[in-house]
Amino acid sequence: MTTAVAIGDATRPVAVSRPRWMLWTALGLLAVFAALAVGVAVAPEAPWSQGVDDLWRSGFGVGPESTLPGFALAQMFQHLGQLPGAVLMMILLPLVLVLIGRWRSALFVIAVQLAGPGLLSQLTKNLVDRPRPADDTAAGLFGPLVQVDHGSFPSGHSVSMAAIIVTVLALIPASAVWARRIWIVLGVLLAVGMVWQRTLINAHWFTDTCAGLIGGAAVALLLWWAFLPWLRRDQERRVWFLRKG
């Protein structure tokens, strides 16, 4: 992004630097995510967090007789991390942004999806190779109540949710202070809800969901920092159909 600075009778565009806190926060979150991944990869069958995960599972995981996984709220979180969520973020939202003349923002949205739920999630799942919760009939515990893919760490649904939260926040202009505040509150609720749903159906261990949120937020924040000049350029321009003349 550039801003005009008067010099005599002329003006000279001056580049506005990206906030350093954003870059360092993203790198810090990536470092935490990497440390968690290494900690699990050392002993994927019983990592350092297993005690916490077992305790959480015993309190929040349900069996096939429970009606909670079928409720609309739980199903919303289920679908946001699957095909409907991917269609929303990879096709519908970018298409809307392009139609209103914000193709740079559309590229940002697609880049976050490819780097977070795409690359980070799938690559780490295969490298860490942590088993998902399994049936333990003696303890009254159950495995995943839905069909799942390979690897429990990190939760791909949590990566997707964190990516969505940060992506939408980045698309809201900084001048819309209350809109950002409201979205942050909703984002926290969405993040907590995703952790609840993924552990409710025994699809992931508790720390897998937390790591997913950290990883998804880190990637989205890093790309927000990278795309910031383009995003600001889009936000400073009125939507084409609202322009006068």
Side-chain angles (χ1 to χ4, degrees):
M1 175 186 176
T2 59
T3 184
V5 176
I7 302 178
D9 294 330
T11 58
R12 177 171 61 87
V14 178
V16 177
S17 61
R18 301 177 180 90
R20 291 186 178 180
W21 70 263
M22 189 178 291
L23 173 62
W24 288 112
T25 301
L27 294 177
L29 290 174
L30 280 175
V32 172
F33 178 81
L36 292 172
V38 171
V40 174
V42 170
E45 299 286 343
W48 63 272
S49 60
Q50 195 63 55
V52 174
D53 290 332
D54 288 337
L55 182 62
W56 183 276
R57 183 187 179 194
S58 64
F60 289 89
V62 298
E65 77 286 347
S66 175
T67 58
L68 283 175
F71 284 174
L73 182 62
Q75 286 298 305
M76 180 194 73
F77 288 111
Q78 178 69 30
H79 293 311
L80 274 177
Q82 294 181 314
L83 183 59
V87 171
L88 172 65
M89 298 304 293
M90 284 292 290
I91 299 177
L92 296 182
L93 180 56
L95 181 59
V96 170
L97 290 170
V98 169
L99 290 176
I100 64 175
R102 297 189 173 185
W103 60 268
R104 302 171 186 84
S105 299
L107 290 179
F108 163 70
V109 173
I110 294 173
V112 171
Q113 289 299 302
L114 292 176
L119 179 62
L120 179 77
S121 177
Q122 294 305 314
L123 179 62
T124 310
K125 278 177 180 288
N126 286 277
L127 289 176
V128 174
D129 196 26
R130 185 183 189 186
R132 293 180 184 265
D135 288 328
D136 186 351
T137 53
L141 300 174
F142 301 89
L145 301 182
V146 297
Q147 186 175 0
V148 294
D149 60 5
H150 167 77
S152 183
F153 183 100
S155 164
H157 277 67
S158 293
V159 172
S160 296
M161 178 55 73
I164 290 173
I165 293 169
V166 177
T167 296
V168 173
L169 183 62
L171 295 177
I172 301 174
S175 58
V177 177
W178 278 104
R180 280 194 169 185
R181 289 177 178 175
I182 292 172
W183 178 250
I184 289 172
V185 173
L186 290 175
V188 171
L189 295 176
L190 288 171
V192 172
M194 185 60 81
V195 171
W196 165 75
Q197 193 272 341
R198 301 317 288 165
T199 54
L200 175 77
I201 63 173
N202 311 305
H204 293 278
W205 302 102
F206 170 68
T207 52
D208 299 339
T209 62
C210 295
L213 292 175
I214 293 172
V219 170
L221 188 60
L222 183 61
L223 287 172
W224 183 0
W225 175 84
F227 277 81
L228 188 58
W230 275 13
L231 294 174
R232 284 179 175 173
R233 186 174 177 182
D234 274 357
Q235 291 165 1
E236 288 171 355
R237 299 179 62 189
R238 297 194 69 182
V239 178
W240 63 268
F241 56 79
L242 295 178
R243 297 174 190 168
K244 295 181 179 180

